[in-house]
Amino acid sequence: MARIENLNLSQRVTNELGKAIISGHYSADSGLPTEAQLCDEYGISRTAVREAVKMLAAKGLISSRPRQGIRVESPENWNLYDTNVLKWMLESSPSLLVLKEFLQMRLAVEPQAAALAARQGDPQDIAKIGEALKAMEDAANDPDGDLHSADLSFHTAILKASGNRFFYQLRDFISTALNVSIQHTTPAKGSNKAIAEEHGRVYTAILNGDAERAKNMMVYLIDEAMAFIENEIANSSLNENVS
């Protein structure tokens, strides 16, 4: 029982320290508080603190070296594919810039995944894409429908249908960032039916085995999202300059 309590406390401390590191509150220059200070601050045992340190080290946010103790790592060493790290980054102030980088990565992966799904996708996997699209269409016609979840399912189903195990293992990473990205792009689009129709063009191309069209339709989807995000970034910069 004590072990479970320690783990839960460690996860809470990991979450709070992770956010603090990514926001810049703790940096390579400032370092982290000592174990004793963390114990006092959070009212937990050294065991729980050490568990948190291990979790943060596994995410690349900190490291422990002989005679140097615990040090905060620079951003280029963070494990950006860790869903917690990505989530904390998206919650930080420059989240739009993170989303732009994420969309650039999607452009490198998802159009190719769509092409592979069209070229060699297993019929059962392609059917899952169709089910996700049907859920999107139903949600688009229902004011209380959950378009958001169906949209996530659509994209992860394409990763699976690609048959590429490396692509599919990106599903949690892509879902985490896409979850935030959709919140920006869906309201900008203004029409859930239009969103479902655009995704439908990707599915139809995959179903017809038209790899080139599937790739191009996915590029169109992501490029459109990129335009919305870049517009928000431009507006944010303009507002900052005005203020």
Side-chain angles (χ1 to χ4, degrees):
M1 183 67 180
R3 172 68 178 174
I4 294 173
E5 289 172 353
N6 279 337
L7 184 58
N8 289 337
L9 289 170
S10 298
Q11 289 171 332
R12 179 172 64 85
V13 175
T14 301
N15 189 58
E16 294 187 21
L17 286 178
K19 288 180 180 180
I21 291 169
I22 284 172
S23 69
H25 182 72
Y26 297 124
S27 67
D29 294 328
S30 68
L32 279 180
T34 64
E35 274 190 9
Q37 289 170 328
L38 289 172
C39 289
D40 289 340
E41 182 176 348
Y42 292 100
I44 60 177
S45 68
R46 283 182 179 267
T47 301
V49 167
R50 286 168 185 165
E51 289 283 353
V53 166
K54 287 180 184 177
M55 291 182 207
L56 290 170
K59 299 174 188 300
L61 298 185
I62 63 174
S63 61
S64 180
R65 293 181 174 86
R67 299 183 182 178
Q68 292 183 2
I70 299 169
R71 57 175 291 178
V72 176
E73 288 292 328
S74 56
E76 57 263 28
N77 293 328
W78 298 347
N79 179 8
L80 303 184
Y81 292 101
D82 183 289
T83 54
N84 288 130
V85 173
L86 180 61
K87 183 171 179 286
W88 297 331
M89 290 177 71
L90 291 169
E91 290 172 354
S92 68
S93 53
S95 60
L96 287 173
L97 297 177
V98 176
L99 280 177
K100 182 177 178 178
E101 287 185 282
F102 163 68
L103 287 167
Q104 289 168 342
M105 186 213 168
R106 285 184 64 198
L107 275 171
V109 173
E110 291 192 70
Q112 184 63 26
L116 286 172
R119 192 175 296 127
Q120 62 186 32
D122 181 269
Q124 289 185 334
D125 290 335
I126 292 175
K128 291 291 184 183
I129 304 172
E131 290 172 13
L133 176 64
K134 178 63 166 60
M136 287 186 72
E137 292 169 341
D138 290 345
N141 291 310
D142 179 358
D144 298 319
D146 189 359
L147 182 76
H148 194 105
S149 294
D151 199 342
L152 292 175
S153 297
F154 181 90
H155 288 276
T156 53
I158 288 176
L159 294 176
K160 178 69 164 63
S162 74
N164 185 304
R165 293 173 296 172
F166 294 94
F167 284 175
Y168 188 54
Q169 286 208 4
L170 291 171
R171 65 191 181 279
D172 290 339
F173 167 80
I174 285 181
S175 292
T176 298
L178 193 57
N179 189 45
V180 176
S181 179
I182 288 171
Q183 294 174 33
H184 288 267
T185 57
T186 298
K189 185 69 181 177
S191 169
N192 287 349
K193 288 185 179 180
I195 292 170
E197 286 172 2
E198 288 174 354
H199 284 67
R201 295 188 191 106
V202 177
Y203 170 66
T204 299
I206 292 173
L207 190 64
N208 292 338
D210 190 339
E212 193 62 26
R213 181 166 173 78
K215 181 178 181 179
N216 290 338
M217 289 299 97
M218 183 61 81
V219 168
Y220 174 81
L221 274 184
I222 301 171
D223 270 343
E224 192 175 40
M226 179 73 82
F228 290 138
I229 296 299
E230 288 181 335
N231 187 56
E232 284 200 40
I233 290 172
N235 288 337
S236 296
S237 298
L238 184 62
N239 291 335
E240 286 176 8
N241 290 333
V242 169
S243 61

